[in-house]
Amino acid sequence: MATIFKTGIVTGKESYAAGAEAAHIAATKLGKHKPDIAVIFASSDYNQSELMNGIRSVIPNVPVIGCSAAGTFTEDEVSTNGVACALIASDNCKFFSGISKNVSYDVIEAVKKASENFPLASGDYTFRSAIVLVDGLIGKGEEIVLAAHAVLGTDVKFSGGAAADNYEMKKTLVFSNGQALEDAVSICMIHSKSPVIISIKHGHKPLSPSLTVTKSKDNIVYEIDNQPAFDVWKKHLEKEMERLGIDIKNLSNERISEIFQNYEAGLQTGTDYKVRFPTSLNPNGAMKFGCSMMEGSVIKIMCSSQEDQIVSAKIAAKNAIEQAKGRKIAGALIFDCSCRRMILKDKFSAAVNEIKQVLNVPIIGFETYGEIAMEMGELSGFHNATTVIMLLPE
Amino acid sequence: MNKISHEEFFNSFKDSLGVEGTNTLLAQLLYQLNIQKKEFYSIEEALKICEAMRSKGGFISIVAGILAARFLIR
């Protein structure tokens, strides 16, 4: 049997029916094989408990992991208000899932609790990797992946993402085994006979000169170059707004905040940049990011064209295939920043199509509020405005 | 005797804090500990740096814990 990866996607419909139908489509494609794990990415418009019940009505004893999303997709469809389901059956991989709350209180303890029933080893399934899904609004992205690294071990590769809620920025949920929780982490540990493949790529380039974060706490930046952070963003984006014909003087702060989410912060890490996504503007003019921003950090305001976004998605897929070195792939999980849809708008499906054409295997993905990718030995695994692809070998 | 390079500290944070953020963090910690910046630190100095990092909280504290464990095992 090796590994078989099949997907279903449903747009709209009532929550229970949508969950049941997405699971039914994937289960029908899987045929006689019994799924070992179900991966669910769902619009936050659904009642998540009812959605879970619908899924479990079709696959009652199958472990489920997943989260709410800002859009979902499979190889068949791209949806802004749907539910995507992947069912995986494998005799080359073993899957172990767990969930825990109170991540914002104690991130290490939350990871320990979520993983307390994971075995350390599974015989000749010698490669270990983990899919980590976390509440996207608590600003603990970098912490969660490092905590997972500290708790699960140095030989584990990580992929995953921060749950989203259709850009409402109010409530994001992660799922595991019938529960849908806020302020939580859902972890799926994979023990496999061959390693999973993880590829990442962003499509942003710098627009502003270097700017120094002069006042910040956790994931909130109050001042840049000793001025209110938002004023600095506005000043450096004036010309760009003029170019786009946008008169920001006549717009509300809320509308400006929405527009400015297309312009991320870039931390120079050598020859490349680590992109950080401003999730919202606070009333005092401070900017909230998806993870911690340290005082003294030097950033540049980043931008990306629609073409850059489509090309970077394709490069991520090509890099993943290159890493596979001819090994057969069962399917791919894709964690793609929600800002890609904001930039691409109705062209978003073009980026998914590029990935689909290069990979040529079943895919499931969602638009995140942050992406997780960390290879063994690395000590930073949280990304924004990036495409993360995890290939599951056959 | 094992020595821990400044570069190892730098490389451990440059992807999360950026180049300048990492340099700022390390400069602050060394100043606070009254340790001069050098190419290599003794294990004792390196562990003191990790301990000071832990007080910063957040992901810096988690990385500090991982680094301290690595240094002790080494």
Side-chain angles (χ1 to χ4, degrees):
Chain A
M1 175 175 76
T3 299
I4 303 172
F5 186 115
K6 299 293 178 187
T7 66
I9 187 164
V10 170
T11 293
K13 294 201 171 178
E14 178 267 327
S15 304
Y16 183 96
E21 189 176 332
H24 179 73
I25 294 167
T28 303
K29 289 182 188 171
L30 205 59
K32 63 181 180 180
H33 302 288
K34 183 188 173 300
D36 294 301
I37 190 94
V39 182
I40 307 291
F41 300 132
S43 164
S44 55
D45 293 343
Y46 289 118
N47 176 315
Q48 308 291 341
S49 297
E50 287 180 21
L51 186 85
M52 287 293 120
N53 288 339
I55 291 160
R56 289 166 82 87
S57 72
V58 177
I59 44 168
N61 299 313
V62 177
V64 173
I65 61 153
C67 63
S68 60
T72 59
F73 53 88
T74 68
E75 71 278 15
D76 293 326
E77 191 181 331
V78 174
S79 174
T80 52
N81 60 339
V83 51
C85 168
L87 296 181
I88 305 168
S90 177
D91 49 22
N92 284 338
C93 301
K94 288 184 179 292
F95 302 92
F96 310 95
S97 58
I99 190 166
S100 178
K101 283 170 54 165
N102 300 323
V103 175
S104 55
Y105 176 68
D106 189 334
V107 66
I108 296 252
E109 201 50 44
V111 171
K112 279 183 181 169
K113 201 157 181 222
S115 59
E116 63 189 0
N117 294 321
F118 295 175
L120 279 178
S122 302
D124 56 350
Y125 298 77
T126 51
F127 296 94
R128 301 201 307 154
S129 55
I131 300 165
V132 177
L133 303 168
V134 66
D135 186 319
L137 298 176
I138 55 174
K140 296 284 181 187
E142 195 73 89
E143 284 87 345
I144 200 76
V145 64
L146 289 165
H149 171 86
V151 172
L152 298 176
T154 53
D155 63 324
V156 180
K157 298 167 86 162
F158 294 95
S159 62
D165 66 347
N166 291 359
Y167 309 97
E168 287 180 19
M169 303 293 173
K170 287 178 184 161
K171 181 179 177 181
T172 64
L173 299 164
V174 298
F175 318 144
S176 186
N177 304 334
Q179 297 182 85
L181 303 174
E182 267 184 279
D183 190 12
V185 59
S186 169
I187 304 176
C188 176
M189 172 66 93
I190 306 169
H191 292 178
S192 55
K193 290 183 177 174
S194 60
V196 304
I197 293 144
I198 296 168
S199 161
I200 67 169
K201 183 70 186 165
H202 72 74
H204 283 64
K205 55 193 174 198
L207 181 75
S208 76
S210 296
L211 308 164
T212 303
V213 176
T214 44
K215 187 176 177 189
S216 69
K217 182 166 171 47
D218 298 329
N219 60 331
I220 299 179
V221 174
Y222 296 95
E223 290 181 7
I224 295 170
D225 288 348
N226 297 309
Q227 295 167 53
F230 192 67
D231 291 351
V232 174
W233 230 252
K234 263 203 241 184
K235 182 182 147 197
H236 286 282
L237 286 174
E238 256 172 24
K239 278 188 185 163
E240 173 75 354
M241 293 298 108
E242 270 176 37
R243 187 182 71 80
L244 296 172
I246 299 170
D247 181 9
I248 57 173
K249 289 186 188 81
N250 292 322
L251 295 177
S252 67
N253 270 359
E254 288 73 25
R255 179 69 190 120
I256 295 170
S257 179
E258 279 172 33
I259 294 168
F260 282 10
Q261 282 175 348
N262 290 337
Y263 300 90
E264 284 74 21
L267 289 164
Q268 193 150 16
T269 58
T271 53
D272 200 1
Y273 292 84
K274 178 70 82 77
V275 183
R276 295 302 188 214
F277 174 51
T279 55
S280 64
L281 164 69
N282 288 357
N284 60 0
M287 297 176 77
K288 187 177 177 185
F289 284 81
C291 68
S292 304
M293 297 287 286
M294 197 197 148
E295 277 181 15
S297 296
V298 175
I299 57 174
K300 289 183 181 178
I301 300 172
M302 309 289 280
C303 66
S304 180
S305 67
Q306 290 189 329
E307 192 186 348
D308 289 339
Q309 286 297 308
I310 293 169
V311 168
S312 67
K314 188 175 184 175
I315 292 171
K318 280 185 168 178
N319 290 347
I321 289 295
E322 274 173 26
Q323 285 185 59
K325 293 179 182 160
R327 275 190 294 154
K328 284 189 175 172
I329 302 302
L333 283 91
I334 298 163
F335 308 95
D336 202 19
C337 188
S338 56
C339 74
R340 189 186 301 278
R341 183 186 288 279
M342 291 166 78
I343 294 167
L344 288 173
K345 299 183 176 72
D346 57 351
K347 289 184 186 162
F348 178 76
S349 58
V352 176
N353 278 337
E354 290 288 353
I355 293 171
K356 192 172 90 177
Q357 281 171 17
V358 173
L359 298 181
N360 197 26
V361 293
I363 61 172
I364 184 170
F366 80 101
E367 283 135 76
T368 71
Y369 287 167
E371 305 77 52
I372 287 171
M374 193 162 84
E375 293 284 346
M376 284 183 274
E378 292 178 347
L379 285 174
S380 174
F382 192 69
H383 308 263
N384 287 133
T386 296
T387 302
V388 171
I389 298 177
M390 191 199 93
L391 300 184
L392 201 61
E394 257 191 23
Chain B
M1 197 170 105
N2 279 331
K3 296 275 186 187
I4 309 299
S5 69
H6 187 86
E7 194 182 1
E8 183 165 353
F9 281 114
F10 176 81
N11 288 336
S12 300
F13 286 99
K14 80 170 169 60
D15 288 337
S16 48
L17 295 176
V19 171
E20 292 88 350
T22 304
N23 283 332
T24 303
L25 171 72
L26 294 176
Q28 277 174 3
L29 294 170
L30 292 172
Y31 178 79
Q32 178 189 326
L33 294 166
N34 201 21
I35 296 173
Q36 199 154 20
K37 181 182 171 185
K38 48 193 165 185
E39 200 176 343
F40 292 98
Y41 302 100
S42 68
I43 288 283
E44 290 75 19
E45 287 172 326
L47 291 174
K48 275 185 191 169
I49 295 169
C50 291
E51 195 53 41
M53 281 174 183
R54 292 188 88 124
S55 66
K56 293 273 176 191
F59 71 86
I60 295 172
S61 161
I62 302 172
V63 173
I66 294 167
L67 287 177
R70 279 187 192 174
F71 299 159
L72 287 167
I73 291 165
R74 204 178 296 166

